[in-house]
Amino acid sequence: MHLVETLPPEELPPEELARANFYGLLARLFFAPPDPALLESIAGAEGLAADDAVLRDTWHTLTEAAAHADAEALREAYDSAFIGTGKSPVSLYTTAYTVRSASEVPLVALRAELVELGLARHASSHEPEDHIAALCDVMRHLIATQECDVSRQARFFNRWIAPAAHPLCDAIAEQRRGTFYEQVARFARAFFELERTAFELFAAGTRRTDRMNQSFQ
């Protein structure tokens, strides 16, 4: 569901490259079930030398789950949980967890913000922009292009991802209990929480890179 085709440049600082790659991975896993090559890549990934124990542990559990996952079974499970017939058991659209009244029109505001960032949904994509995969892809782009400062990243994250992060991930983990996607959800929740905390520290005057260095050193 890439809104733009960008790859993290080699000169990107290691902690920022890690962030961009994690957002990219989550975008891919939330957009479609992993193929055998992606499962193998995740299973063979190194552990995180992170101070954040929850992030470190959920990543380890995700790599273990990938090592034992079957791609065809995951495709069926993904379709059953996130697509289904009629209303899916779990929504991957963030506004499903944040809209409180029929008068709210967050997609209009989201589309306007994407235009400000020079982004737009691909013509071939039929998914609304509030799909969590699309939002993760936007964050990946903001980090990888280095065109937006941390405050701009924080504004986008806090407005469009943070409010839905916990309920969305918890809904996936509960509905897919004991499966690969439970571990995806638990890792995503830990990663989003780290991002939220880091942005809060940045707003309070702590440099973003200090926090990320502590987490991904």
Side-chain angles (χ1 to χ4, degrees):
M1 176 175 257
H2 291 326
L3 296 176
V4 285
E5 297 296 337
T6 54
L7 294 175
E10 293 182 358
E11 64 269 18
L12 202 64
E15 65 277 4
E16 296 302 285
L17 180 61
R19 292 179 61 222
N21 284 340
F22 280 137
Y23 273 116
L25 176 61
L26 290 174
R28 171 63 182 80
L29 290 173
F30 284 134
F31 179 59
D35 56 24
L38 181 55
L39 286 172
E40 182 179 356
S41 178
I42 297 172
E46 296 182 357
L48 291 181
D51 287 348
D52 190 295
V54 178
L55 185 75
R56 183 178 64 241
D57 293 345
T58 54
W59 174 251
H60 174 73
T61 304
L62 177 58
T63 61
E64 289 290 308
H68 297 93
D70 175 75
E72 185 57 36
L74 282 181
R75 176 170 295 281
E76 294 178 5
Y78 181 95
D79 290 349
S80 174
F82 306 128
I83 300 177
T85 55
K87 184 178 180 180
S88 62
V90 179
S91 177
L92 293 177
Y93 301 99
T94 55
T95 55
Y97 303 92
T98 59
V99 171
R100 295 292 177 260
S101 71
S103 62
E104 293 184 60
V105 285
L107 278 179
V108 174
L110 174 56
R111 287 165 184 159
E113 187 162 345
L114 291 174
V115 169
E116 291 178 5
L117 293 170
L119 302 176
R121 183 176 61 184
H122 276 175
S124 60
S125 176
H126 302 291
E127 297 285 359
E129 292 85 347
D130 65 325
H131 194 292
I132 186 62
L135 299 178
C136 286
D137 198 45
V138 171
M139 286 298 297
R140 176 193 64 83
H141 171 74
L142 296 182
I143 298 164
T145 61
Q146 304 183 78
E147 292 178 355
C148 294
D149 59 22
V150 176
S151 62
R152 190 67 189 84
Q153 295 175 30
R155 286 197 299 274
F156 187 89
F157 176 88
N158 288 330
R159 186 174 188 185
W160 301 113
I161 296 179
H166 285 185
L168 184 152
C169 292
D170 289 347
I172 297 171
E174 178 63 27
Q175 211 281 333
R176 305 309 303 164
R177 187 177 297 277
T179 71
F180 174 79
Y181 266 93
E182 177 188 359
Q183 308 313 324
V184 172
R186 295 196 184 284
F187 172 73
R189 193 184 199 279
F191 177 67
F192 291 148
E193 180 61 19
L194 177 63
E195 287 282 281
R196 185 193 64 77
T197 301
F199 284 133
E200 283 186 354
L201 290 174
F202 173 81
T206 302
R207 290 197 311 134
R208 169 85 203 191
T209 51
D210 289 344
R211 172 60 176 166
M212 296 309 294
N213 278 330
Q214 291 171 5
S215 300
F216 293 110
Q217 60 187 352

